[in-house]
Amino acid sequence: ERVMTQSPATLSVSPGERVTLSCRASHSVSTSLAWYQQKPGQAPRLLIYGASTRATGIPARFSGSGSGTDFTLTISSLQSEDFAVYYCQQYNTWPQITFGQGTRLEIK
Amino acid sequence: QLRLQESGPGLVKPSETLSLTCEVSGGSISTTIYYWGWIRQPPGKGLEWIGSIFYSGTTSYNPSLKSRATISADTSKTLISLKLTSLTAADTALYYCATMSVDSNTFDSWGQGTLLIVSS
């Protein structure tokens, strides 16, 4: 089983700042890694797949990188609407899928 | 545009069996461009994949559910169903239905979820 570990659990940042979220896999998942954003009371939204490809309609300030076991999601300049919980998900062991436990991005 | 709408009983007793449905509109569940999945989220916690069903009818499940889950598709009614047996309080969660793109193997369209509470 691929265990996905996200860090930190909570990140306090100010609007306009650049932020990097981390996701680490217990074993290599190649680039089979996705990122989701979830706002309170809403379903998750796909941001990134293939570790670095933005999903349709996702602003360019969101970028993903990494391969193997270490991945990052970077938001270049935080907007007020970006404060949310972010999850990574691996699908290297498709059809078996695992999510990370999430990182909460809160306003400083 | 594809829309997903989950529905369920809301409250069930421990040891009972849960039946949830996901009504699909704006597209066919027989499509070969999507798979269908169920994901749940306990209150205040993270996401857990429950299982998926593919256009061939093949299913795959999270081993942690220990064979308690069954996913099926009713193409005539455009419904994706989830049955979960031997419920405990740990099954209390918001249950989501979602499409999984065959190109990216990621969940790119989600329903709003249906809350299940397991309590006597």
Side-chain angles (χ1 to χ4, degrees):
Chain A
E1 181 191 349
R2 298 292 191 274
V3 177
M4 308 302 292
T5 303
Q6 293 186 241
S7 60
T10 303
L11 196 52
S12 297
V13 292
S14 300
E17 285 187 5
R18 177 186 179 92
V19 65
T20 299
L21 284 61
S22 175
C23 175
R24 177 165 288 178
S26 60
H27 301 81
S28 175
V29 298
S30 185
T31 56
S32 301
L33 192 285
W35 291 94
Y36 298 83
Q37 176 194 66
Q38 187 179 33
K39 296 180 181 179
Q42 296 185 16
R45 176 175 70 146
L46 177 66
L47 297 176
I48 301 282
Y49 63 93
S52 61
T53 302
R54 277 189 301 277
T56 303
I58 301 304
R61 65 180 182 272
F62 291 92
S63 63
S65 64
S67 66
T69 60
D70 291 300
F71 301 87
T72 57
L73 174 70
T74 299
I75 310 172
S76 59
S77 178
L78 272 169
Q79 307 297 302
S80 58
E81 62 266 30
D82 300 335
F83 291 94
V85 180
Y86 292 83
Y87 294 95
C88 63
Q89 173 227 316
Q90 73 82 20
Y91 48 95
N92 184 250
T93 55
W94 183 91
Q96 296 290 311
I97 288 158
T98 48
F99 289 95
Q101 81 279 18
T103 290
R104 181 179 304 276
L105 208 51
E106 61 179 32
I107 300 175
K108 194 172 188 178
Chain B
Q1 178 157 351
L2 205 61
R3 293 187 63 186
L4 308 174
Q5 181 63 60
E6 306 89 342
S7 60
L11 176 66
V12 293
K13 291 181 169 51
S15 81
E16 290 187 344
T17 294
L18 166 70
S19 290
L20 297 179
T21 58
C22 172
E23 183 172 6
V24 178
S25 57
S28 169
I29 63 173
S30 300
T31 181
T32 57
I33 64 173
Y34 288 121
Y35 307 134
W36 309 89
W38 285 95
I39 301 100
R40 69 181 182 180
Q41 184 171 36
K45 296 189 178 180
L47 303 168
E48 180 183 31
W49 171 71
I50 297 171
S52 298
I53 186 166
F54 311 106
Y55 49 75
S56 62
T58 303
T59 52
S60 179
Y61 300 101
N62 189 327
S64 70
L65 293 170
K66 295 182 172 59
S67 304
R68 295 192 296 126
T70 303
I71 297 173
S72 59
D74 184 334
T75 56
S76 64
K77 296 181 181 178
T78 62
L79 292 176
I80 306 292
S81 299
L82 169 67
K83 278 187 166 47
L84 191 61
T85 62
S86 305
L87 293 171
T88 71
D91 295 311
T92 293
L94 187 60
Y95 285 73
Y96 291 105
C97 171
T99 61
M100 177 187 284
S101 166
V102 300
D103 292 331
S104 64
N105 289 322
T106 54
F107 296 108
D108 56 4
S109 185
W110 298 63
Q112 283 305 299
T114 184
L115 180 63
L116 171 75
I117 297 173
V118 181
S119 175
S120 54

